[in-house]
Amino acid sequence: VRGSEIGVNPKTHADTKAPVHSQQNQVLTEKPLTDQNNLDIRDRVPVPISYEQEIKLTTFLGHNATRFYSRVSKYLKRRTGLNLSFSVPSYPNDPAEFINSGKADIGFVCGIVFARWPESEKPHIVAAPVMSDSRYGNKPVYFSDIIVKKDSPFRNLEDLRGKIFGYNEKTSLSGYVLPQHHWKQNFGENLEKFFKVTEKTGSHAESMERVAVGDIDATAIDSVVLLMEILQKPFRSEQLRLLSWVGPFPMPPIVASKRVDHWVVELIRVALMTMHQDSLGNEILSGAGVLRFSAMDRDSYDYIQSL
């Protein structure tokens, strides 16, 4: 983010100027990992001599993050020696039901999914990514980015009154819940009243495309999804413009079912949290604009539940 432009440098944007619209100064609880210089993670976590059980990983996040999480999964398999597999559901699924039913053991999920998870089956939080961009303040947070077409006349949120707003899903934290909350708090109106039309697009990818071609005037995108879109499709920076953002809020976590053995969860957590210290791991992270992984406290997601 460079002024009102969408930038492409995944490492730093030190001169970020876009306005921040946040309803809270979220206090995040990061769990420190000691002795991170020791990369022999099996010395740190008791591991059975033989463990052949398959651990199934999946993602429910933006499509353009799939390659990143696939690479992370392959890295974890190589680093831990566990029998890890990665796949993406071929059709929409409820993440809680999908994981609770055993179709997956570990998932990359939206924060609102974790917040709404039935307490009796609530999974363990393994870790969450920390982005490199200076806007993230070296914390495991993200934003709901309000974007418009680059050559549009809109210069602030008020300019969007009476226009067309697209959202991916009403269950999406970044795509609908956070903007809805922000509009109610700052304009005293919900999205449906403020905009002439609010349309469901079905995905962040479709929302970005429809803004780019002018079918809708604005949309709200997960800031990490937007960054990865620009990294993978640089031409998007010539089509889209960041108008404002809502946040920060706790980053979507990686979660593990309660079925997964505790030592497996710990082994994967340690591998993730030291990934940036390993040359291959750091290459995977930096290629997606990620600085490192952090272990998160589940209490960090309580505020999302209140929304």
Side-chain angles (χ1 to χ4, degrees):
V1 182
R2 191 173 297 277
S4 61
E5 303 296 326
I6 297 179
V8 297
N9 182 358
K11 297 302 290 183
T12 179
H13 300 298
D15 55 346
T16 297
K17 300 296 183 183
V20 178
H21 298 275
S22 176
Q23 301 308 314
Q24 68 160 139
N25 291 319
Q26 179 73 35
V27 177
L28 296 168
T29 306
E30 292 189 62
K31 293 182 178 180
L33 183 68
T34 59
D35 191 25
Q36 291 195 1
N37 290 325
N38 177 10
L39 296 183
D40 190 354
I41 58 177
R42 283 178 170 254
D43 286 345
R44 226 183 299 170
V45 180
V47 179
I49 295 176
S50 177
Y51 188 83
E52 299 298 328
Q53 182 174 329
E54 180 185 17
I55 307 296
K56 294 171 287 188
L57 284 73
T58 192
T59 178
F60 299 94
L61 301 179
H63 78 289
N64 60 15
T66 299
R67 181 174 181 271
F68 169 66
Y69 282 119
S70 175
R71 294 189 72 193
V72 169
S73 298
K74 290 177 182 177
Y75 171 84
L76 290 174
K77 181 176 183 177
R78 172 179 175 272
R79 181 86 185 279
T80 65
L82 294 171
N83 181 19
L84 300 176
S85 63
F86 177 80
S87 63
V88 180
S90 58
Y91 53 90
N93 288 277
D94 173 66
E97 188 279 330
F98 197 82
I99 291 177
N100 289 342
S101 67
K103 296 175 183 175
D105 302 300
I106 295 176
F108 308 95
V109 303
C110 181
I112 198 169
V113 168
F114 178 78
R116 290 176 168 173
W117 211 294
E119 191 62 35
S120 61
E121 299 176 310
K122 214 172 189 78
H124 305 289
I125 296 178
V126 182
V130 177
M131 305 305 293
S132 301
D133 193 301
S134 60
R135 174 163 63 137
Y136 297 86
N138 196 28
K139 296 289 185 181
V141 298
Y142 81 125
F143 303 83
S144 172
D145 281 351
I146 312 300
I147 61 171
V148 296
K149 193 174 182 181
K150 187 171 184 177
D151 60 2
S152 70
F154 312 121
R155 291 296 175 264
N156 55 58
L157 295 181
E158 181 61 40
D159 289 346
L160 295 174
R161 184 179 293 276
K163 304 303 179 181
I164 301 175
F165 180 83
Y167 62 90
N168 57 336
E169 299 278 353
K170 284 193 174 182
T171 55
S172 170
L173 187 63
S174 59
Y176 185 84
V177 176
L178 294 181
Q180 185 73 281
H181 179 72
H182 179 75
W183 254 260
K184 288 178 180 179
Q185 291 291 312
N186 289 273
F187 296 100
E189 299 175 279
N190 61 25
L191 295 172
E192 288 73 17
K193 185 175 181 181
F194 182 91
F195 290 93
K196 178 177 68 175
V197 177
T198 55
E199 294 183 3
K200 177 182 175 180
T201 66
S203 69
H204 280 317
E206 183 65 17
S207 293
M208 288 185 283
E209 178 62 22
R210 293 187 64 184
V211 169
V213 300
D215 285 347
I216 58 178
D217 296 303
T219 190
I221 303 292
D222 177 320
S223 61
V224 177
V225 171
L226 180 59
L227 173 61
M228 291 189 177
E229 182 79 359
I230 299 300
L231 291 173
Q232 295 169 23
K233 302 176 181 179
F235 64 86
R236 286 296 194 203
S237 63
E238 299 302 318
Q239 298 177 330
L240 306 173
R241 175 162 51 88
L242 178 63
L243 185 66
S244 188
W245 64 61
V246 182
F249 289 88
M251 181 67 83
I254 302 170
V255 301
S257 167
K258 288 183 176 180
R259 297 185 311 275
V260 180
D261 290 338
H262 178 72
W263 70 266
V264 172
V265 175
E266 287 302 309
L267 188 64
I268 293 174
R269 179 181 290 124
V270 171
L272 287 169
M273 291 182 64
T274 58
M275 188 172 174
H276 62 290
Q277 299 172 0
D278 175 81
S279 58
L280 175 59
N282 191 57
E283 177 187 344
I284 295 170
L285 295 175
S286 60
V290 179
L291 180 66
R292 61 186 176 89
F293 278 98
S294 167
M296 292 284 288
D297 191 287
R298 60 181 289 172
D299 293 343
S300 297
Y301 296 88
D302 288 348
Y303 182 74
I304 294 176
Q305 180 64 43
S306 71
L307 299 181

